[in-house]
Amino acid sequence: MRMPELLPVLDQKTIEKLIDETAKRISTDYAGRPLVLIGVLKGAFIFMADLVRRLTIPVTIDFVGISSYGDQTVSSGCIRLTRDIGMDVCGRDVLIVEDIVDTGLTLAFLIAHIRSLGASSVNVCALLDKRARRRVEVAVPYCCYEAPDEFLVGYGLDFDERYRQLPGVYRLQFNPEGAS
Ligand code: IMP
């Protein structure tokens, strides 16, 4: 049996500072433009909560559910909408809030979906971006931290639905049983 070990990547203080800076940029860039934030469940729930409380502009909030991973650490490549947006985004400025961008497949799917609903602009904010692993080109203009090409957990991110509650971000390392 594989025994995962948690190796620190970002602590709580560092995450707060990164979100502060990103929230300031968003508040400046969208000043005077009412913004719709769409959080991607489940991973973005903690990031969304911390981000919105730092924004100084009026926003409305909704969530979408998307599934692509199952209980594996690699994307299946098969994206499924498990919960659709519940509000009208036609003619609105939309900012997608993601926990982490990896292959880009989820975002490419979601951007196309939101555009098809008639949004006047669609932009992306992510806590983490594993840019080296992109399979489709998607820009992440509001990226808090460029992450290493490792499987990460904590601060909303899970492995098989575990570790979401951790206040920091950790790298999940699988050691063979018996290894020190
Ligand atoms: P993508 O479609 O490959 O870009 O994957 C995006 C989604 O995969 C994210 O919203 C996460 O839910 C999940 N994901 C990607 N990398 C990780 C990771 O390192 N840890 C936990 N979840 C991840």
Side-chain angles (χ1 to χ4, degrees):
M1 194 183 122
R2 297 189 302 170
M3 304 293 288
E5 198 181 330
L6 296 173
L7 306 172
V9 173
L10 293 174
D11 62 23
Q12 203 174 347
K13 278 243 157 337
T14 308
I15 293 172
E16 282 168 10
K17 195 168 161 283
L18 291 168
I19 300 177
D20 268 346
E21 290 163 4
T22 306
K24 273 188 195 127
R25 283 208 294 132
I26 294 170
S27 299
T28 304
D29 293 353
Y30 285 92
R33 292 161 67 191
L35 185 60
V36 180
L37 299 184
I38 305 284
V40 184
L41 293 172
K42 302 176 197 168
F45 78 109
I46 296 178
F47 178 43
M48 174 72 116
D50 284 346
L51 179 72
V52 289
R53 284 178 291 176
R54 287 170 168 82
L55 293 175
T56 55
I57 51 170
V59 293
T60 47
I61 295 162
D62 202 354
F63 288 92
V64 281
I66 292 205
S67 151
S68 65
Y69 270 66
D71 61 359
Q72 304 298 308
T73 56
V74 287
S75 171
S76 67
C78 174
I79 316 290
R80 222 164 31 93
L81 203 58
T82 56
R83 181 199 187 276
D84 204 351
I85 300 166
M87 64 169 61
D88 185 9
V89 296
C90 189
R92 313 282 306 273
D93 290 315
V94 174
L95 184 65
I96 298 170
V97 180
E98 256 285 32
D99 54 351
I100 186 164
V101 186
D102 183 8
T103 62
L105 292 168
T106 304
L107 265 187
F109 171 89
L110 194 54
I111 290 169
H113 177 60
I114 295 172
R115 284 200 180 123
S116 79
L117 298 175
S120 59
S121 73
V122 186
N123 215 334
V124 180
C125 173
L127 177 72
L128 304 161
D129 187 358
K130 292 199 277 192
R131 211 161 289 173
R133 288 180 42 89
R134 272 304 190 286
R135 282 168 55 190
V136 289
E137 196 43 54
V138 279
V140 184
Y142 301 104
C143 164
C144 296
Y145 184 75
E146 192 166 336
D149 179 6
E150 307 280 356
F151 197 79
L152 305 174
V153 295
Y155 196 77
L157 284 81
D158 77 309
F159 171 64
D160 202 10
E161 293 302 329
R162 296 176 61 202
Y163 309 114
R164 290 194 198 276
Q165 80 285 6
L166 298 175
V169 173
Y170 296 82
R171 178 156 71 88
L172 202 60
Q173 179 166 288
F174 293 93
N175 298 319
E177 201 174 16
S180 56

